[in-house]
Amino acid sequence: MEKKRLLEKKKIFNKIAKDIKNVKIQGARNIAKKALYAYSLIPGEVSLKKLISLRPTEPLLVNVLKKAKTGNFEKISSHFDSAQNEINKLVFKLIGNGEIIYTHCHSTNVANALIYAKKKGKRFEVYNTETRPLFQGRKTAKELRKAGIKVTMFVDSAMDISLSKIERGRKVTKIFLGADALLKKGVINKVGSGVIGKLSKMNKIPLYVIADSWKYSANPVKIEERDFHEVWGKIPKNSRIKIENPAFELLKKKYIKKIVTELGIMKYSKFLKSVKKKN
Ligand code: RUB
């Protein structure tokens, strides 16, 4: 009986690990939440190492699993929702009626906050990117549309066009980006975020990072390089074409107007001071 239960736990653990690795479970928050659950099934150093290795650019995953060593899984897990609830209320205050909000990839912190604002009666629309090569933008578009938010999706290479496009006399009013890692020099988020930062400055559009403060890391993080088959699945044999597939990119802090975390809406430099004090 005990052996059967252990086998069942191992099966669930391995399925979660596989889904995180192949990005079926994606986004810093979902990865950390599911990994915490997997760890609770089979705690210990081996599990910790295995889970952390799955997505190398994820301090939230590392921070949560380190806290999980205390074994207080429920308390740690409750942080995800309490932080999101605070973030939702703060983002609600940021959005004005008639705005066009721009976002990239799929961030639960961003999507949930937008859906909350819509539910609470804010009228706005969203432009988003498709996010090659794995198309996480489609997930964002579907979730927002389901919540009744008007969504317009663009290919990634239309970033400049979509950020300067004038629609009925209006253009993008704010950019909301999620984050994988909150670092001293800026934020690591889905590749493309660095370009969006530069375009935000050129087009004078305020850029806000929306993220759980537990994504902070005092140390630099490795940028994950993913399998080239994601970019070109059936690349001709002997083509001798080299493909690089970096998953993330630095968004320099100079491009961030404010960061919204459960600690408040702050300038990035103030956030760094607050989070250091807390840690
Ligand atoms: C997802 C991504 C998201 C952040 C924040 O990349 O870059 O913006 O992870 O997400 P990937 P969240 O799809 O490669 O995991 O707000 O959900 O934590």
Side-chain angles (χ1 to χ4, degrees):
M1 190 66 186
E2 193 52 40
K3 204 174 159 199
K4 203 176 155 201
R5 275 227 321 259
L6 185 65
L7 275 176
E8 192 53 37
K9 283 182 182 179
K10 271 194 180 151
K11 214 171 127 190
I12 302 172
F13 183 100
N14 289 336
K15 167 93 172 76
I16 292 175
K18 195 171 154 215
D19 287 351
I20 291 176
K21 187 74 200 161
N22 65 24
V23 194
K24 240 188 193 166
I25 297 169
Q26 64 76 234
R29 181 184 189 262
N30 296 335
I31 292 167
K33 207 173 169 181
K34 280 286 181 183
L36 177 66
Y37 174 62
Y39 183 84
S40 74
L41 298 175
I42 309 178
E45 274 310 307
V46 177
S47 297
L48 188 92
K49 275 203 185 126
K50 160 98 184 157
L51 291 165
I52 286 176
S53 73
L54 297 170
R55 301 290 309 266
T57 318
E58 300 295 350
L60 183 62
L61 173 69
V62 177
N63 292 337
V64 159
L65 291 180
K66 281 193 177 149
K67 286 180 202 284
K69 281 182 171 178
T70 61
N72 203 341
F73 304 122
E74 267 173 41
K75 187 162 177 263
I76 301 161
S77 194
S78 70
H79 167 81
F80 296 112
D81 287 341
S82 61
Q84 182 73 59
N85 290 342
E86 283 311 308
I87 289 171
N88 290 351
K89 287 184 222 155
L90 296 166
V91 171
F92 178 81
K93 288 198 248 171
L94 273 183
I95 302 176
N97 283 326
E99 293 216 50
I100 303 176
I101 312 285
Y102 188 95
T103 193
H104 179 48
C105 195
H106 179 275
S107 153
T108 302
N109 285 153
V110 172
N112 282 0
L114 291 171
I115 292 167
Y116 175 88
K118 173 72 184 173
K119 277 193 185 141
K120 292 279 170 192
K122 286 279 163 86
R123 281 178 287 106
F124 59 95
E125 60 181 287
V126 171
Y127 285 3
N128 85 318
T129 56
E130 65 172 354
T131 319
R132 285 265 309 147
L134 295 181
F135 302 103
Q136 291 95 325
R138 294 179 185 173
K139 186 177 175 193
T140 303
K142 281 198 261 180
E143 278 181 17
L144 300 185
R145 211 35 232 134
K146 200 171 160 213
I149 298 168
K150 185 179 170 199
V151 183
T152 309
M153 198 169 81
F154 295 84
V155 294
D156 302 325
S157 34
M159 271 175 187
D160 192 13
I161 291 173
S162 49
L163 281 165
S164 50
K165 183 179 158 75
I166 311 267
E167 182 124 347
R168 281 172 273 118
R170 301 173 307 147
K171 68 172 184 135
V172 169
T173 47
K174 287 190 178 92
I175 299 168
F176 287 173
L177 293 182
D180 289 274
L182 306 172
L183 310 178
K184 219 169 122 190
K185 55 186 178 179
V187 162
I188 306 282
N189 192 47
K190 179 55 57 189
V191 65
S193 300
V195 183
I196 295 173
K198 287 173 190 156
L199 288 170
S200 76
K201 189 168 181 220
M202 285 169 70
N203 289 291
K204 297 192 176 62
I205 304 169
L207 186 159
Y208 295 84
V209 169
I210 318 276
D212 185 321
S213 77
W214 283 16
K215 293 173 178 174
Y216 170 74
S217 169
N219 304 312
V221 298
K222 194 175 160 231
I223 299 284
E224 180 184 359
E225 176 74 28
R226 294 188 60 84
D227 191 320
F228 69 87
H229 289 103
E230 287 180 351
V231 179
W232 194 344
K234 287 182 186 152
I235 188 164
K237 267 196 185 139
N238 306 321
S239 63
R240 290 181 293 141
I241 297 168
K242 186 183 170 209
I243 296 176
E244 293 201 10
N245 185 17
F248 300 105
E249 182 178 23
L250 174 72
L251 164 68
K252 289 185 183 158
K253 61 182 170 192
K254 66 176 176 185
Y255 297 122
I256 303 171
K257 165 99 178 151
K258 294 266 172 76
I259 177 164
V260 185
T261 69
E262 74 282 11
L263 308 178
I265 303 177
M266 297 172 192
K267 284 212 174 297
Y268 199 69
S269 50
K270 187 172 172 211
F271 163 75
L272 290 176
K273 278 186 203 140
S274 313
V275 83
K276 268 186 218 153
K277 241 189 245 166
K278 275 204 112 204
N279 283 336

